[in-house]
Amino acid sequence: DLMDIQGTRLWEEEFTCFLKHSAQKECDDFVTRQVKNSAVILPVEMDDFSNAQTFLGDLLNQILKLTKPSMSMYIEPMSGWFDAEGCELLGLRFFELLESCVGPVGMACLDSLLVKFITEKLKRAFKGLRILMDARFLEQIEMLNTALGPPTSLPLLGWSSYQLMATLPHMLWEPWVESLASIGQLQIIRCLINLKLNSACKVKARAVCSALDGIITLASSARDKMWMGNEKENCATKKYFLHELSKQAALCGFCVPLRTSYLIEDPPPYLGRCASMVTISQLPRYVLNTHLGTLTSHLKTVSLDFSPVVIGLGTFLKQFHPSYLMEYVQYMGQYVRITAETCGANHEHQKGAPDPALEALKSISWMMFFCKHMEISKDVVDSCIPPSLIAVLQV
């Protein structure tokens, strides 16, 4: 104070530079690994940070290990990951401690890394889907689509229409489903990071004032440049302004990961139907846990965790036109209605076949979780599955 040296500010500036350098280093290393493995379409482990060179890399490596979809279970009401014995592996307490150590800048740097990883994983998933949907598969899915009819109707052959799915090579799709689970895992981590940033900025006036000061400075600078510059310069100024504005928003946790568009691609054919078929093929792996209010698996070493798979699938569909989300919900609603009709008709249950009543309940649980996080309106859900039907099935 006597020498008028702002030690705290100098420390914060140096620490911020260190964190940003670490994030850039890990991002560059990640891109290098992707280039080396470019021939592999759907690698099981794309995010191996075991040899990380920075603090952020080591931190991210531990987070990804603890939240791995095949080894943990994310329980939304408790905002944390748990093992098969019910012990918490990672939760909000960790993110509170992390924010107190690295501050908003460190959390934002970690979030920026996750954005890069999700983008790359979505690109790989899209490329992999294009390869899986070869001419033979498209022919099969077209036959299945014809047999099932439009989503507002019920198939003439009833539940047996879905037996055509047995001809589809599901094992080839397992790596693709794993990639969706990995995307969902990163999305959930992003959600908790942004939740913590948002809650922290509400109680830390200093962080809010800093963000507001940055926004005001950017707005004033952009206004002056656009006032003085030509049209081409104005366009560049707008892009810079929006980029810097998004950085300030990230510091305050104003980003909504589940609304983010990570890439722009033309959708493959039958995307909604294909997504519903993948979902139906995954349902037998789960059981409805009424205590936790979610789908769980008895064999955690085999099945992927329910939550990241659903969120990963929703994130993938969200990269395309909103109509594909609606199609998916409608096709799943069709499946729920036909399984419910099978229950009501007292069809003879074949040995080894899934129980229609349980399938209907699991499908509803899957759909409700999906619609909640993908922000599908209640009117759309009710048009696909009447509330009265849900009430009857839950009795």
Side-chain angles (χ1 to χ4, degrees):
D1 293 338
L2 294 175
M3 300 179 65
D4 195 25
I5 297 177
Q6 299 179 350
T8 302
R9 183 171 181 177
L10 290 174
W11 158 251
E12 290 177 349
E13 289 177 353
E14 288 298 318
F15 188 55
T16 298
C17 290
F18 165 74
L19 291 172
K20 290 182 177 179
H21 173 75
S22 298
Q24 188 60 49
K25 171 66 176 172
E26 292 302 331
C27 185
D28 293 341
D29 290 347
F30 178 79
V31 172
T32 302
R33 289 199 299 272
Q34 302 316 301
V35 173
K36 290 182 179 179
N37 298 324
S38 58
V40 183
I41 304 303
L42 289 172
V44 177
E45 295 292 343
M46 282 182 59
D47 41 18
D48 181 15
F49 293 92
S50 56
N51 297 319
Q53 303 296 316
T54 69
F55 159 73
L56 276 183
D58 288 332
L59 176 65
L60 189 58
N61 183 48
Q62 294 302 317
I63 292 175
L64 294 179
K65 278 185 177 180
L66 292 173
T67 60
K68 191 174 182 180
S70 61
M71 303 299 292
S72 65
M73 179 174 63
Y74 179 74
I75 301 179
E76 185 183 20
M78 305 180 74
S79 298
W81 287 263
F82 295 79
D83 60 16
E85 285 72 37
C87 299
E88 186 179 71
L89 300 172
L90 202 70
L92 281 178
R93 288 179 296 177
F94 166 79
F95 290 99
E96 290 175 359
L97 178 62
L98 181 62
E99 195 276 334
S100 67
C101 294
V102 300
V105 175
M107 299 285 277
C109 287
L110 188 61
D111 185 62
S112 67
L113 278 176
L114 294 174
V115 170
K116 179 65 177 178
F117 302 157
I118 292 172
T119 303
E120 291 299 321
K121 285 176 178 289
L122 282 169
K123 289 179 181 178
R124 292 289 184 110
F126 179 78
K127 188 176 180 181
L129 182 61
R130 285 287 192 185
I131 293 175
L132 288 170
M133 297 181 72
D134 55 14
R136 181 182 177 185
F137 176 81
L138 289 176
E139 182 180 348
Q140 291 176 324
I141 201 74
E142 186 174 359
M143 291 174 55
L144 181 62
N145 197 53
T146 302
L148 296 176
T152 54
S153 64
L154 295 179
L156 294 176
L157 298 178
W159 203 30
S160 60
S161 300
Y162 288 92
Q163 293 178 355
L164 291 172
M165 288 178 55
T167 62
L168 302 180
H170 295 304
M171 291 305 296
L172 296 177
W173 288 77
E174 288 308 307
W176 192 71
V177 176
E178 290 178 14
S179 70
L180 293 183
S182 182
I183 292 168
Q185 171 196 14
L186 298 180
Q187 283 281 68
I188 295 173
I189 296 172
R190 279 204 71 202
C191 288
L192 291 183
I193 288 176
N194 281 276
L195 175 65
K196 182 55 194 171
L197 279 172
N198 190 264
S199 61
C201 79
K202 291 179 180 178
V203 298
K204 293 184 179 180
R206 184 177 180 182
V208 177
C209 291
S210 175
L212 287 175
D213 181 62
I215 292 173
I216 293 171
T217 303
L218 284 169
S220 300
S221 175
R223 180 195 59 192
D224 295 339
K225 289 181 180 179
M226 286 187 284
W227 185 267
M228 300 291 294
N230 56 35
E231 184 176 350
K232 186 175 182 179
E233 291 175 344
N234 287 345
C235 183
T237 302
K238 289 177 184 177
K239 289 182 179 179
Y240 172 75
F241 172 68
L242 292 174
H243 174 70
E244 292 298 320
L245 189 61
S246 65
K247 287 170 60 177
Q248 296 295 335
L251 287 174
C252 293
F254 291 159
C255 300
V256 183
L258 298 184
R259 295 179 187 170
T260 304
S261 294
Y262 295 95
L263 75 160
I264 300 176
E265 297 284 356
D266 294 328
Y270 302 108
L271 178 59
R273 179 66 81 182
C274 178
S276 67
M277 293 297 99
V278 171
T279 298
I280 294 170
S281 70
Q282 295 297 308
L283 285 173
R285 303 180 174 211
Y286 301 100
V287 295
L288 182 60
N289 189 316
T290 55
H291 176 67
L292 297 176
T294 186
L295 297 179
T296 59
S297 172
H298 291 303
L299 302 175
K300 285 306 302 169
T301 57
V302 177
S303 296
L304 297 168
D305 187 24
F306 158 74
S307 298
V309 173
V310 178
I311 291 178
L313 178 62
T315 299
F316 186 82
L317 292 175
K318 201 116 182 177
Q319 306 311 303
F320 308 102
H321 192 273
S323 61
Y324 292 98
L325 277 175
M326 297 299 106
E327 278 187 6
Y328 171 76
V329 174
Q330 290 172 345
Y331 287 137
M332 288 304 299
Q334 182 188 44
Y335 181 70
V336 171
R337 294 196 307 275
I338 194 62
T339 50
E341 183 187 74
T342 304
C343 299
N346 293 322
H347 288 186
E348 183 179 352
H349 180 65
Q350 298 180 357
K351 186 177 181 180
D355 184 356
L358 294 178
E359 282 294 295
L361 286 173
K362 289 191 292 184
S363 302
I364 290 174
S365 179
W366 183 295
M367 269 194 67
M368 292 304 179
F369 188 86
F370 180 91
C371 293
K372 173 185 175 182
H373 290 279
M374 295 301 115
E375 299 179 329
I376 306 297
S377 69
K378 187 177 183 301
D379 292 338
V380 173
V381 177
D382 290 346
S383 67
C384 298
I385 309 177
S388 57
L389 176 59
I390 298 177
V392 170
L393 289 172
Q394 290 178 338
V395 173

